[in-house]
Amino acid sequence: MTTLLTSARPKTGADRGIYTYIAVFSAVLYMVLLIAPVIAGKLAAQFDLAPTELGMLFSLELGAFSLATVPAYLWLNRTNLRTVTYVCTAVVIAGNIVSGFLDSFALLVLARVVTSLAAGSITVIILTLSGKTANPSRAFGVFVVFQLLMGAIILFGFPLLYADSTVAAIYWTMAALALCCLPVVRMIDGEVLRRPGDDDAAALRSARVDRPAPKARFAVGLAAVLLFYVSLSGVWSFMAQLSGAAGIDLPTSSLILAIATLPGIAAPLIATFLGDSPKRRWFLLAGYAGLGTGVALLFGAPGVIRFAMAAMIFKFAWTFILPYLLSSLTDIGGRHVMNSTNLMIGSGFAVGPMASGMLIESSGGGFGAMLAFSAAGVLLSLACAMAIQRPVRR
């Protein structure tokens, strides 16, 4: 069995190339998600946008990032991954350059949607290659860490660097950074998904005849990811409102949420160091326990200290769970498992804040129903995550 399972993974040299590809592209491409708060004010001022128009722009841009999953079902296993990456990166570069010159809001929306579709397509490749490494948990840890590191740089650097600039300067910076990604494309094997015998699902099914039906595990695994993102995005989107309702002033809550990025970065670093392990089930249990604790601490109008504890525990648990949850999906096998996972991530980000907002409004501005909904989602996600764990064999 050991030989069979090992043959389905690239060798160490190939893994290093994949890790580099993941680190560079995830840091740059996820800027489309991370800079939204930074450029919102500049876009509103430059194009005289109402809040609904600004929200529509970001919704379409982030939605396109996720919907890139759908066409990927057709091309992912039929094309050379290097070629697709070069083409999509070129589209990202061109889209960001063009966005900086546009003075029509309608054309800007079109440019951002096309750019995000290209960026989302590369993300599909990132997630799929992560599952191909010998240590998926480490690969997904790299994926999360470098996003968060770029997020920290943006949080502290962008407002200072671009305080007196137009939004065009930010878009052109994104184009320049995407250009810097091109040299690492050659570090991946473009034919890895088209080569016969690389289907992990077939290898795992033949090796583990006593495992549950793959389709059932596939559905349960996707449910774990969807519920995870619905729960965390629903809470995290309203953290500022939660602190305000508890009487915490905005500067203090902003400082607490900024400090919470530190444990958020530390958690995937720990996961990256630990890598995949027979103890993954216990790592997930510990992470979900932390996530549930973070939600529980937010009940009942928490004071400053309890709110700070909740924010830091919540962010640490969130980013610690993610690499192990994603690596659990790769065990299910199948060429499109990570492609489908990307769709669940985008769907969770879309559903979570919307559902939480509706619950807050329906309860007259209270947060109890929303927090209870998120806590239930955490428990259900935990149950699904445990159900898809591989059996530990001695």
Side-chain angles (χ1 to χ4, degrees):
M1 182 187 296
T2 302
T3 303
L4 178 61
L5 295 178
T6 303
S7 65
R9 305 292 191 188
K11 295 181 180 179
T12 304
D15 281 359
R16 283 197 295 266
I18 292 174
Y19 292 151
T20 304
Y21 178 94
I22 293 168
V24 172
F25 273 100
S26 63
V28 173
L29 295 181
Y30 270 76
M31 286 179 66
V32 73
L33 309 179
L34 298 169
I35 67 168
V38 177
I39 66 173
K42 292 182 179 294
L43 283 170
Q46 183 171 331
F47 291 93
D48 193 23
L49 301 180
T52 53
E53 292 175 310
L54 190 62
M56 181 190 70
L57 171 62
F58 288 131
S59 294
L60 290 172
E61 188 166 359
L62 301 182
F65 199 92
S66 177
L67 287 175
T69 294
V70 177
Y73 284 113
L74 301 176
W75 60 257
L76 185 60
N77 300 314
R78 296 180 173 89
T79 56
N80 183 287
L81 300 185
R82 287 185 181 181
T83 302
V84 173
T85 304
Y86 280 126
V87 171
C88 289
T89 305
V91 174
V92 170
I93 294 168
N96 282 314
I97 291 173
V98 169
S99 297
F101 287 107
L102 294 175
D103 55 9
S104 165
F105 178 65
L107 291 177
L108 178 66
V109 170
L110 178 61
R112 299 317 304 160
V113 167
V114 172
T115 305
S116 290
L117 281 171
S121 298
I122 300 175
T123 300
V124 170
I125 297 175
I126 289 173
L127 291 173
T128 303
L129 290 180
S130 297
K132 286 284 181 180
T133 61
N135 200 322
S137 293
R138 181 161 294 148
F140 291 124
V142 171
F143 174 66
V144 177
V145 164
F146 280 84
Q147 290 177 44
L148 294 174
L149 287 174
M150 180 62 78
I153 293 171
I154 290 170
L155 179 65
F156 293 106
F158 264 46
L160 177 64
L161 294 173
Y162 296 97
D164 300 320
S165 304
T166 65
V167 72
I170 300 177
Y171 285 137
W172 293 338
T173 300
M174 293 167 61
L177 290 173
L179 182 64
C180 295
C181 293
L182 290 174
V184 306
V185 178
R186 61 181 178 80
M187 302 184 73
I188 63 169
D189 180 357
E191 298 293 325
V192 67
L193 299 184
R194 295 200 292 183
R195 188 174 299 115
D198 278 345
D199 191 342
D200 289 358
L204 289 170
R205 279 197 296 268
S206 63
R208 296 179 181 148
V209 296
D210 59 336
R211 69 188 298 168
K215 288 184 179 179
R217 289 169 64 87
F218 185 69
V220 172
L222 294 182
V225 175
L226 178 64
L227 290 165
F228 175 73
Y229 272 94
V230 167
S231 301
L232 72 87
S233 65
V235 172
W236 193 251
S237 298
F238 291 94
M239 287 294 277
Q241 287 82 354
L242 277 160
S243 67
I248 303 171
D249 59 84
L250 184 58
T252 302
S253 65
S254 298
L255 177 62
I256 290 171
L257 295 179
I259 293 173
T261 61
L262 298 177
I265 293 172
L269 280 173
I270 294 171
T272 302
F273 174 76
L274 294 173
D276 217 0
S277 166
K279 298 179 181 179
R280 184 176 64 194
R281 181 189 298 270
W282 299 106
F283 293 159
L284 281 168
L285 280 169
Y288 274 104
L291 193 64
T293 300
V295 174
L297 287 170
L298 293 170
F299 277 93
V304 173
I305 295 176
R306 185 148 62 95
F307 179 78
M309 291 175 59
M312 288 187 279
I313 293 172
F314 187 92
K315 194 64 180 287
F316 181 91
W318 161 11
T319 55
F320 184 75
I321 291 169
L322 185 55
Y324 293 110
L325 181 58
L326 294 179
S327 69
S328 299
L329 269 291
T330 66
D331 280 348
I332 296 172
R335 292 179 179 271
H336 290 294
V337 65
M338 298 316 300
N339 195 17
S340 301
T341 299
N342 189 45
L343 185 60
M344 292 301 101
I345 291 172
S347 300
F349 268 128
V351 172
M354 180 173 61
S356 291
M358 292 172 63
L359 287 169
I360 292 168
E361 288 188 14
S362 66
S363 58
F367 294 94
M370 180 268 283
L371 291 170
F373 172 77
S374 295
V378 169
L379 291 174
L380 289 172
S381 179
L382 169 61
C384 292
M386 291 298 103
I388 63 171
Q389 295 305 303
R390 63 188 178 217
V392 177
R393 296 180 180 273
R394 295 187 180 276

